[in-house]
Amino acid sequence: MTLEYIVAALIILMIMGAVTALETDNLLSSIIALGAVGFLLAIAFLFLGAPDIAFTQIVVEILLLIILIRVTIHRDLKTTTAHRAMFGWTFAIVLIAFLTWFGLTVFEEFPAFGTAVMDRVADSASVTYIKEGLAKSGAGNLVTAVLLDFRAFDTLGEATVLFCAILGALAILRQKAHKHSKEKDQEADAA
Amino acid sequence: MIYSLCLILIGIGLYGILTKRNIVKIIIGFVIMEAGVHLLLILIGYRMQGEAPILQPGMKLSEFITRAVDPLPQALTLTSIVIGLGVLALMIAIAIRLYERYKTFDITEMRRLKG
C-alpha cells in the first residue's frame, strides 16, 4: 500500500514538471523541466521492479536532453505566449474530454493496482515466460529472455524502425542535398 | 486512482500538442505523452510485493513464480522507449530544417505549410 503512495507522489511531481515544461516562456528551462519528468519516471520504474527499463530510460533521457538542447541553443529562445486560434482550443478541449471519458471507462475494467493481469488469464504468455524462461533461453533476466529469445523478431523490427528513423534524420540534415533543394526553391521563387 | 494520474499526464501531453504554437513545445508534449503511456504499461504489469523478473542463483523457482512482476510489458516498453528516441531525432531534424527555412519555430508563421 505504501508503494502506491510513493508512486502516486512521483507521478504528481511528474505532472508538475510537465506543466512547467509546457508553460514556461524560456525554451531552455522547459527542456530542463522535461528532463526532471524523465528522471522521475526512471525512479518510478525502479520502485515498480523494472530496473532494466530504468537504465534505458536514464540513457534515453540524457540523449534526448542533448538533442533538444542542441536544437534550441543559439536559436530563438523566447516563445510566443499567444495561443493558437479558437478552433485549436475547442478541438483540444473536446479531444481531452473524450480521452478522459474513454480512459476512466477502461480503468473500471482494470484489476486493482497490485494484482497482475497475468494471474487472471489462464495459460497467459507471461506465466509461461516466468516458469520456463530460464530452462528454455538460459537467461536469468527474463526481460532479456523475452527481448532476445521469445520475441526476437520484435526486437528485429525495433532495430529496423530505429534504423529507418535515424536514416531519415540524416537524410533531412544532410547539407549537400539541402543546398541543392534551396537553389531549386530560389529558381522557383524567381520564376 | 493511480491509473487516473497517468491519464492526467497523457492529457497534459495532448494539450501541449494541440494548443502550443512553438514546434519545440509540441515535441515536448509528445515526449510527456509517451512518458505517461510507458508508466501506465509498467503499472499494469506490477503485482504487490513484486520483485524484478531476474532469476538469481539460489532462488527457488516456485517462490519466484509467485513474486516476479510481469516481464512482457517491461520488454515491450523497453522497445517503445528506444523507438521513441529514434522518432524524436527525426522530429528534431525536421524542426531544425524548418527553422533554417523560416527563421522561427512558430508554426503559425510557416505559411507554406498551410493546406
Side-chain angles (χ1 to χ4, degrees), chain A residues 119-185:
Chain A
D119 292 334
R120 311 205 317 173
V121 186
D123 274 348
S124 73
S126 308
V127 176
T128 318
Y129 294 153
I130 293 177
K131 272 184 191 161
E132 298 169 11
L134 184 61
K136 281 192 172 171
S137 70
N141 187 340
L142 292 176
V143 176
T144 323
V146 172
L147 269 180
L148 296 179
D149 198 305
F150 294 111
R151 298 199 174 214
F153 278 121
D154 233 23
T155 312
L156 183 67
E158 171 205 343
T160 315
V161 171
L162 199 63
F163 180 73
C164 291
I166 299 298
L167 208 64
L170 286 180
I172 290 170
L173 284 178
R174 206 165 46 141
Q175 288 297 331
K176 202 176 162 190
H178 179 59
K179 271 177 200 157
H180 187 64
S181 74
K182 217 177 198 174
E183 284 164 12
K184 260 190 177 174
D185 275 343

Side-chain angles (χ1 to χ4, degrees), chain A residues 3-4 7-8 11 14-15 18-19 21-24 27 30 34 41 45 48-53 56-57 60 63-64 67-68 71 75-76 79-80 82-84 89 92 95-96 99-100 103 107 110-111 113-114 116-119 126 129-131 134 140-143 146-147 151 154 158 161-162 165 168-169 172-175 178 185 189, chain B residues 1-12 14-22 24-29 31-32 35 38-40 42-48 51-55 61 64-65 68-72 74-79 81-83 85-90 92-94 96-97 99-101 104-107 112:
Chain A
L3 188 122
E4 192 174 354
V7 175
I11 301 177
M14 280 168 71
I15 290 171
V19 173
L22 284 177
E23 292 302 329
T24 322
L27 269 189
S30 88
L34 185 72
L41 185 65
F45 284 155
L48 291 169
D52 305 279
I53 321 277
T56 319
Q57 176 65 35
V60 163
L63 284 174
L64 188 149
I67 294 173
L68 276 174
V71 72
R75 285 190 173 84
D76 173 21
T79 65
T80 45
H83 284 285
R84 283 196 219 169
W89 266 98
L95 210 59
I96 289 169
L99 178 85
T100 315
F107 292 157
F110 275 24
F113 175 69
V117 182
M118 60 177 171
D119 292 334
S126 308
Y129 294 153
I130 293 177
K131 272 184 191 161
L134 184 61
N141 187 340
L142 292 176
V143 176
V146 172
L147 269 180
R151 298 199 174 214
D154 233 23
E158 171 205 343
V161 171
L162 199 63
I172 290 170
L173 284 178
R174 206 165 46 141
Q175 288 297 331
H178 179 59
D185 275 343
D189 283 344
Chain B
M1 176 206 71
I2 202 155
Y3 296 135
S4 315
L5 285 173
C6 279
L7 192 69
I8 293 175
L9 208 58
I10 298 172
I12 289 172
L14 190 64
Y15 156 79
I17 291 173
L18 289 174
T19 60
K20 291 297 168 189
R21 284 169 62 167
N22 191 309
V24 179
K25 283 275 173 80
I26 294 175
I27 294 171
I28 286 173
V31 174
I32 291 169
H38 291 157
L39 190 56
L40 184 65
I42 296 294
L43 282 172
I44 291 171
Y46 188 74
R47 101 202 316 185
M48 261 318 155
E51 277 179 0
I54 299 170
L55 201 58
L61 191 63
F64 182 67
I65 289 169
V69 300
D70 200 342
L72 188 53
Q74 290 196 14
L76 297 185
T77 307
L78 204 76
T79 311
I81 288 175
V82 177
I83 287 179
L85 183 69
V87 172
L88 181 107
L90 186 59
I92 287 294
I94 295 172
I96 289 176
R97 277 287 168 258
Y99 184 84
E100 285 182 1
R101 185 72 200 272
T104 175
F105 279 131
D106 193 337
I107 57 165
R112 281 207 185 171

Side-chain angles (χ1 to χ4, degrees), chain A residues 62-96:
Chain A
I62 290 169
L63 284 174
L64 188 149
L65 288 183
I66 291 171
I67 294 173
L68 276 174
I69 288 176
R70 162 75 182 78
V71 72
T72 49
I73 210 110
H74 300 315
R75 285 190 173 84
D76 173 21
L77 275 180
K78 59 183 188 307
T79 65
T80 45
T81 41
H83 284 285
R84 283 196 219 169
M86 205 58 209
F87 172 74
W89 266 98
T90 30
F91 188 63
I93 289 167
V94 168
L95 210 59
I96 289 169

Side-chain angles (χ1 to χ4, degrees), chain A residues 4-17:
Chain A
E4 192 174 354
Y5 292 122
I6 292 173
V7 175
L10 283 173
I11 301 177
I12 288 169
L13 284 175
M14 280 168 71
I15 290 171
M16 286 159 64

